[in-house]
Amino acid sequence: MKGKVKSPKTKFGPPTIFILCFFFFVAGFFLSNLLSRDVPGVVRPSLRILESAGENREPMPHGETGESYFQVIPFQILSWKPRALYFPGFATTEQCEKIIAMAKANLKPSTLALRKGETDESTKGTRTSSGTFISASEDKTGTLGDIEQKIARATMLPRSHGEAFNILQYKLGQKYDSHYDAFNPAEYGPQKSQRIASFLLYLSDVEEGGETMFPFENGADIGFSFDYKKCAGLKVKPRRGDGLLFYSVFPNSTIDQLSLHGSCPVIKGEKWVATKWIRDQEEED
């Protein structure tokens, strides 16, 4: 009599295989759903949407004033109120050193645009830095021209609307109290054009102090009595080669009251910065 043939124990029958497949399907679905949510303790892979947007794509046809290639200028949004953006590594160390060398020979005490009723004596101590103005056309090395062109790309505001670079040096204890870069006609009188944006290029590191600060960031303290000499609010630490862009005016041309800003006193070290003010109309030569 023939005996029954038993299947090897190492093999699975159809029902077992079906159960295993169903188990792995459910486990995979659960894991993918978990990773798609902001669950504490679960590390999600970082997205690179902006960085990879130009991969495997040909540049679009462009007009006569356009460019035939993609560009990536890294930036971080520091604040929406006021609109402030940070640009790491905007300039090289060599470029920063060249700009400082150009400015050193012509530094003078920084001045202020005076409001109605103000005098040099009444505003003494508000701004204690030294500085000089240098236009890109004066720089035979082309360094300022390259920086100016990059600022135009980052802001999408024409080079022709920018003032000459204001190169500033802040020594120990020097600072600039909170102020606006835009000129309120009610305080300064009629204006031919308005400063709408400011780009600060930090030319040196600062060991301690010297931050650019926005005391009214997100509306804090606005409408209340405020000490304009106080170093408070959102603070941006100067790092050589990095840039800071902020807008002083809304798209409807009204001044953004939250764009109040200043330079904290330098506590240790020295601060060098190149400021590019950009206006709503083309600047006259």
Side-chain angles (χ1 to χ4, degrees), residues 171 173-176 208-211 229 231 263-267:
K171 293 183 178 180
Q174 293 186 328
K175 44 83 177 181
Y176 193 177
E208 188 176 355
E211 300 95 343
K229 298 180 183 294
C231 179
S263 181
C264 298
V266 173
I267 298 173

Side-chain angles (χ1 to χ4, degrees), residues 10-259:
T10 55
K11 293 184 179 181
F12 299 106
T16 306
I17 294 174
F18 174 80
I19 293 172
L20 287 174
C21 290
F22 180 77
F23 171 80
F24 285 118
F25 172 79
V26 172
F29 177 81
F30 175 77
L31 183 60
S32 64
N33 188 52
L34 185 66
L35 290 175
S36 68
R37 300 181 181 180
D38 294 323
V39 180
V42 176
V43 179
R44 298 176 58 192
S46 59
L47 301 179
R48 296 178 56 83
I49 296 175
L50 293 179
E51 291 84 347
S52 62
E55 292 179 6
N56 303 319
R57 296 194 182 201
E58 291 295 325
M60 293 289 289
H62 57 89
E64 293 182 5
T65 61
E67 296 174 341
S68 60
Y69 52 90
F70 292 126
Q71 285 196 38
V72 176
I73 302 179
F75 69 92
Q76 175 190 359
I77 296 175
L78 297 181
S79 169
W80 279 102
K81 300 178 180 181
R83 289 172 293 158
L85 296 87
Y86 178 73
F87 293 83
F90 195 83
T92 65
T93 296
E94 182 182 8
Q95 288 175 320
C96 293
E97 291 175 346
K98 284 183 178 180
I99 296 173
I100 291 175
M102 279 188 279
K104 278 185 174 179
N106 299 303
L107 292 176
K108 297 179 181 179
S110 299
T111 58
L112 289 172
L114 300 177
R115 292 176 288 193
K116 296 176 181 178
E118 289 183 333
T119 64
D120 290 335
E121 187 62 30
S122 67
T123 57
K124 188 176 181 180
T126 299
R127 190 184 191 191
T128 56
S129 60
S130 296
T132 186
F133 283 90
I134 308 176
S135 66
S137 60
E138 297 176 87
D139 174 21
K140 304 308 178 184
T141 70
T143 302
L144 289 179
D146 291 341
I147 297 297
E148 192 173 73
Q149 180 63 37
K150 193 171 183 179
I151 291 174
R153 292 189 182 108
T155 62
M156 280 302 293
L157 297 172
R159 291 180 66 178
S160 59
H161 287 229
E163 299 181 29
F165 285 93
N166 188 201
I167 317 300
L168 299 167
Q169 178 194 40
Y170 291 83
K171 293 183 178 180
L172 188 66
Q174 293 186 328
K175 44 83 177 181
Y176 193 177
D177 294 339
S178 299
H179 61 282
Y180 291 102
D181 283 351
F183 297 105
N184 186 345
E187 297 177 327
Y188 292 92
Q191 303 291 309
K192 291 183 179 180
S193 65
Q194 181 64 279
R195 287 177 176 172
I196 58 174
S198 301
F199 194 99
L200 278 59
L201 175 63
Y202 298 113
L203 304 175
S204 68
D205 294 326
V206 181
E207 293 182 61
E208 188 176 355
E211 300 95 343
T212 303
M213 52 95 171
F214 297 88
F216 287 170
E217 196 270 332
N218 204 31
D221 294 325
I222 196 165
F224 298 91
S225 177
F226 177 74
D227 181 1
Y228 285 81
K229 298 180 183 294
K230 184 179 180 182
C231 179
L234 173 64
K235 299 179 185 179
V236 183
K237 182 177 177 61
R239 292 181 178 139
R240 182 171 60 187
D242 292 357
L244 172 66
L245 167 68
F246 61 92
Y247 293 88
S248 299
V249 173
F250 291 117
N252 65 0
S253 298
T254 60
I255 296 174
D256 182 0
Q257 298 299 314
L258 301 182
S259 69

Side-chain angles (χ1 to χ4, degrees), residues 159-164 193 277-279 281-285:
R159 291 180 66 178
S160 59
H161 287 229
E163 299 181 29
S193 65
W277 288 301
I278 307 170
R279 292 182 174 262
Q281 296 182 37
E282 187 170 335
E283 280 289 278
E284 298 178 359
D285 294 332

